[in-house]
Amino acid sequence: MGEKDCIFCKIANGEIPSKTLYEDEDFKVILDVGPATRGHALILPKNHYANLYELPDKEAVKVMLLAKKMAALMTEKLGCDGFNLVQNNGKAAGQTVFHFHLHLIPRYKEDGQTLGWKPLEPTQEELEDIKKIITE
Ligand code: 5GP
Ligand code: ZN
C-alpha cells in the first residue's frame, strides 16, 4: 500500500536505498540522512499512513514495541547516555515528510542538541479550562 511520490514509501519498500538497521514485514528502521545525533534513526511502516491520526491501532502497538527493542539495542551498541523518541504530526509540529515515522534519537552527554520547549506559565484557572475542553 504505497503512495505515489512518497519518499518514505519508496524507502520502506526498497525502491530507494537506505542504511537499514532492521526490517520485518511491517516496518523498516533506517538511519536518518540529516541526523540530530550519531545513530539517529527512523521507524517507517511499510504501509503509507500520513501521520499518527491515520495509524491503525494494530500498527501503533507494534511501533512502540519495536521502538523499545531498537532503543535497547542502539543504547547497548552505541553507548549513548539517553534516548529520545520524537514523532511529529502536521507542519505546525515540524513534520516535513508526510508518511508516519518515529524518530529514534540516541543522546550523548554534551551532544549540543536541544529537543525542548520554552515552558509557558498558565494559571490554575487556565489549566482547569484546558482540562475541561479536552475531557468534557
Ligand atoms: P520530520 O520533520 O517529518 O519529523 O522528519 C523527517 C526526517 O526525515 C528528517 O529528520 C530528515 O532528515 C529525514 N529524511 C528526509 N528525507 C530523507 C531521506 O531521503 N532518507 C532518509 N534516510 N531520511 C530522510
Ligand atoms: Zn508513504
Side-chain angles (χ1 to χ4, degrees):
M1 196 164 75
E3 178 119 330
K4 199 176 161 286
D5 300 332
C6 172
I7 181 108
F8 282 0
C9 278
K10 289 180 181 161
I11 291 174
N13 296 296
E15 272 177 69
I16 294 180
S18 59
K19 299 288 182 208
T20 302
L21 305 182
Y22 172 86
E23 183 169 7
D24 62 25
E25 64 175 321
D26 299 310
F27 299 101
K28 195 171 238 191
V29 182
I30 62 165
L31 286 179
D32 193 307
V33 288
T37 63
R38 180 173 160 267
H40 180 170
L42 304 169
I43 299 182
L44 313 179
K46 289 189 172 174
N47 290 334
H48 181 89
Y49 310 110
N51 49 42
L52 183 67
Y53 306 111
E54 289 189 4
L55 189 72
D57 288 357
K58 215 172 138 201
E59 304 234 10
V61 170
K62 287 183 185 174
V63 85
M64 193 49 77
L65 291 174
L66 180 53
K68 195 178 164 198
K69 188 166 129 179
M70 289 305 302
L73 174 76
M74 291 164 71
T75 299
E76 184 197 331
K77 299 279 187 170
L78 296 169
C80 57
D81 305 303
F83 212 94
N84 291 119
L85 297 183
V86 175
Q87 203 277 308
N88 302 323
N89 297 283
K91 204 171 162 188
Q95 187 176 10
T96 57
V97 179
F98 296 88
H99 173 127
F100 175 93
H101 51 281
L102 180 64
H103 294 260
L104 304 170
I105 309 179
R107 298 302 304 273
Y108 306 89
K109 282 179 206 133
E110 295 164 18
D111 63 25
Q113 293 289 6
T114 49
L115 303 179
W117 55 85
K118 197 170 83 178
L120 305 174
E121 294 178 352
T123 61
Q124 283 302 312
E125 196 182 16
E126 285 168 331
L127 290 174
E128 183 62 25
D129 285 348
I130 295 159
K131 187 197 90 177
K132 282 188 179 149
I133 288 166
I134 296 170
T135 60
E136 288 178 5

